[in-house]
PDB file of all heavy atoms in Angstrom:
ATOM      1  N   MET A 287     134.059 157.413  59.103  1.00 92.00           N
ATOM      2  CA  MET A 287     133.938 155.964  59.214  1.00 92.00           C
ATOM      3  C   MET A 287     132.488 155.568  59.464  1.00 92.00           C
ATOM      4  O   MET A 287     131.819 156.193  60.281  1.00 92.00           O
ATOM      5  CB  MET A 287     134.828 155.454  60.357  1.00 92.00           C
ATOM      6  CG  MET A 287     134.759 153.949  60.511  1.00 92.00           C
ATOM      7  SD  MET A 287     136.175 153.260  61.398  1.00 92.00           S
ATOM      8  CE  MET A 287     135.873 153.923  63.010  1.00 92.00           C
ATOM      9  N   PRO A 288     131.993 154.549  58.758  1.00 91.00           N
ATOM     10  CA  PRO A 288     130.630 154.090  59.033  1.00 91.00           C
ATOM     11  C   PRO A 288     130.604 153.190  60.264  1.00 91.00           C
ATOM     12  O   PRO A 288     131.648 152.779  60.773  1.00 91.00           O
ATOM     13  CB  PRO A 288     130.283 153.286  57.782  1.00 91.00           C
ATOM     14  CG  PRO A 288     131.600 152.735  57.325  1.00 91.00           C
ATOM     15  CD  PRO A 288     132.633 153.778  57.683  1.00 91.00           C
ATOM     16  N   GLY A 289     129.414 152.862  60.714  1.00 90.00           N
ATOM     17  CA  GLY A 289     129.248 151.879  61.781  1.00 90.00           C
ATOM     18  C   GLY A 289     129.289 152.483  63.171  1.00 90.00           C
ATOM     19  O   GLY A 289     129.647 153.634  63.360  1.00 90.00           O
ATOM     20  N   ARG A 290     128.927 151.668  64.131  1.00 92.00           N
ATOM     21  CA  ARG A 290     128.848 152.147  65.504  1.00 92.00           C
ATOM     22  C   ARG A 290     130.209 152.247  66.157  1.00 92.00           C
ATOM     23  O   ARG A 290     131.121 151.508  65.831  1.00 92.00           O
ATOM     24  CB  ARG A 290     127.991 151.185  66.320  1.00 92.00           C
ATOM     25  CG  ARG A 290     126.576 151.199  65.843  1.00 92.00           C
ATOM     26  CD  ARG A 290     125.688 150.426  66.780  1.00 92.00           C
ATOM     27  NE  ARG A 290     124.375 150.386  66.164  1.00 92.00           N
ATOM     28  CZ  ARG A 290     123.664 149.285  65.995  1.00 92.00           C
ATOM     29  NH1 ARG A 290     124.113 148.130  66.437  1.00 92.00           N
ATOM     30  NH2 ARG A 290     122.502 149.328  65.409  1.00 92.00           N
ATOM     31  N   LEU A 291     130.276 153.163  67.125  1.00 94.00           N
ATOM     32  CA  LEU A 291     131.501 153.360  67.896  1.00 94.00           C
ATOM     33  C   LEU A 291     131.138 153.507  69.367  1.00 94.00           C
ATOM     34  O   LEU A 291     130.246 154.286  69.711  1.00 94.00           O
ATOM     35  CB  LEU A 291     132.188 154.654  67.461  1.00 94.00           C
ATOM     36  CG  LEU A 291     132.935 154.649  66.141  1.00 94.00           C
ATOM     37  CD1 LEU A 291     133.236 156.076  65.727  1.00 94.00           C
ATOM     38  CD2 LEU A 291     134.213 153.846  66.265  1.00 94.00           C
ATOM     39  N   ALA A 292     131.837 152.783  70.222  1.00 96.00           N
ATOM     40  CA  ALA A 292     131.665 152.979  71.659  1.00 96.00           C
ATOM     41  C   ALA A 292     132.806 153.865  72.143  1.00 96.00           C
ATOM     42  O   ALA A 292     133.955 153.681  71.739  1.00 96.00           O
ATOM     43  CB  ALA A 292     131.678 151.647  72.387  1.00 96.00           C
ATOM     44  N   GLY A 293     132.498 154.829  72.986  1.00 97.00           N
ATOM     45  CA  GLY A 293     133.515 155.724  73.505  1.00 97.00           C
ATOM     46  C   GLY A 293     133.471 155.776  75.024  1.00 97.00           C
ATOM     47  O   GLY A 293     132.433 155.526  75.639  1.00 97.00           O
ATOM     48  N   GLN A 294     134.618 156.104  75.595  1.00 97.00           N
ATOM     49  CA  GLN A 294     134.706 156.187  77.057  1.00 97.00           C
ATOM     50  C   GLN A 294     134.334 157.578  77.526  1.00 97.00           C
ATOM     51  O   GLN A 294     134.692 158.574  76.889  1.00 97.00           O
ATOM     52  CB  GLN A 294     136.131 155.857  77.483  1.00 97.00           C
ATOM     53  CG  GLN A 294     136.351 155.894  78.986  1.00 97.00           C
ATOM     54  CD  GLN A 294     137.787 155.564  79.345  1.00 97.00           C
ATOM     55  OE1 GLN A 294     138.335 154.570  78.882  1.00 97.00           O
ATOM     56  NE2 GLN A 294     138.407 156.403  80.145  1.00 97.00           N
ATOM     57  N   THR A 295     133.615 157.649  78.628  1.00 97.00           N
ATOM     58  CA  THR A 295     133.294 158.937  79.223  1.00 97.00           C
ATOM     59  C   THR A 295     133.061 158.713  80.717  1.00 97.00           C
ATOM     60  O   THR A 295     133.432 157.665  81.241  1.00 97.00           O
ATOM     61  CB  THR A 295     132.077 159.588  78.523  1.00 97.00           C
ATOM     62  OG1 THR A 295     131.869 160.879  79.061  1.00 97.00           O
ATOM     63  CG2 THR A 295     130.817 158.762  78.671  1.00 97.00           C
ATOM     64  N   THR A 296     132.489 159.682  81.383  1.00 97.00           N
ATOM     65  CA  THR A 296     132.229 159.520  82.819  1.00 97.00           C
ATOM     66  C   THR A 296     130.788 159.886  83.117  1.00 97.00           C
ATOM     67  O   THR A 296     130.159 160.622  82.363  1.00 97.00           O
ATOM     68  CB  THR A 296     133.123 160.458  83.657  1.00 97.00           C
ATOM     69  OG1 THR A 296     133.002 161.771  83.116  1.00 97.00           O
ATOM     70  CG2 THR A 296     134.576 160.031  83.625  1.00 97.00           C
ATOM     71  N   ASP A 297     130.284 159.357  84.213  1.00 95.00           N
ATOM     72  CA  ASP A 297     128.947 159.786  84.631  1.00 95.00           C
ATOM     73  C   ASP A 297     129.107 160.973  85.576  1.00 95.00           C
ATOM     74  O   ASP A 297     130.215 161.478  85.795  1.00 95.00           O
ATOM     75  CB  ASP A 297     128.147 158.617  85.231  1.00 95.00           C
ATOM     76  CG  ASP A 297     128.559 158.264  86.658  1.00 95.00           C
ATOM     77  OD1 ASP A 297     129.542 158.833  87.160  1.00 95.00           O
ATOM     78  OD2 ASP A 297     127.886 157.412  87.258  1.00 95.00           O
ATOM     79  N   LYS A 298     127.996 161.429  86.142  1.00 90.00           N
ATOM     80  CA  LYS A 298     128.070 162.673  86.894  1.00 90.00           C
ATOM     81  C   LYS A 298     128.843 162.540  88.198  1.00 90.00           C
ATOM     82  O   LYS A 298     129.184 163.526  88.821  1.00 90.00           O
ATOM     83  CB  LYS A 298     126.669 163.240  87.136  1.00 90.00           C
ATOM     84  CG  LYS A 298     125.716 162.278  87.767  1.00 90.00           C
ATOM     85  CD  LYS A 298     124.305 162.810  87.584  1.00 90.00           C
ATOM     86  CE  LYS A 298     123.285 161.746  87.982  1.00 90.00           C
ATOM     87  NZ  LYS A 298     121.936 162.162  87.665  1.00 90.00           N
ATOM     88  N   ASN A 299     129.137 161.303  88.605  1.00 91.00           N
ATOM     89  CA  ASN A 299     129.982 161.112  89.784  1.00 91.00           C
ATOM     90  C   ASN A 299     131.431 160.866  89.414  1.00 91.00           C
ATOM     91  O   ASN A 299     132.237 160.487  90.258  1.00 91.00           O
ATOM     92  CB  ASN A 299     129.476 159.932  90.608  1.00 91.00           C
ATOM     93  CG  ASN A 299     128.048 160.141  91.034  1.00 91.00           C
ATOM     94  OD1 ASN A 299     127.682 161.228  91.476  1.00 91.00           O
ATOM     95  ND2 ASN A 299     127.233 159.122  90.862  1.00 91.00           N
ATOM     96  N   GLY A 300     131.721 161.030  88.131  1.00 94.00           N
ATOM     97  CA  GLY A 300     133.096 160.828  87.687  1.00 94.00           C
ATOM     98  C   GLY A 300     133.448 159.367  87.471  1.00 94.00           C
ATOM     99  O   GLY A 300     134.603 159.013  87.270  1.00 94.00           O
ATOM    100  N   LYS A 301     132.457 158.514  87.494  1.00 95.00           N
ATOM    101  CA  LYS A 301     132.684 157.081  87.308  1.00 95.00           C
ATOM    102  C   LYS A 301     132.828 156.773  85.821  1.00 95.00           C
ATOM    103  O   LYS A 301     132.059 157.269  85.002  1.00 95.00           O
ATOM    104  CB  LYS A 301     131.457 156.349  87.883  1.00 95.00           C
ATOM    105  CG  LYS A 301     131.699 154.944  88.292  1.00 95.00           C
ATOM    106  CD  LYS A 301     130.512 154.498  89.170  1.00 95.00           C
ATOM    107  CE  LYS A 301     130.529 152.999  89.365  1.00 95.00           C
ATOM    108  NZ  LYS A 301     129.371 152.539  90.137  1.00 95.00           N
TER     109      LYS A 301
END
Side-chain angles (χ1 to χ4, degrees):
Chain A
M287 181 159 68
R290 294 189 186 130
L291 284 166
Q294 181 180 310
T295 185
T296 50
D297 77 354
K298 53 196 170 187
N299 302 316
K301 204 165 167 183

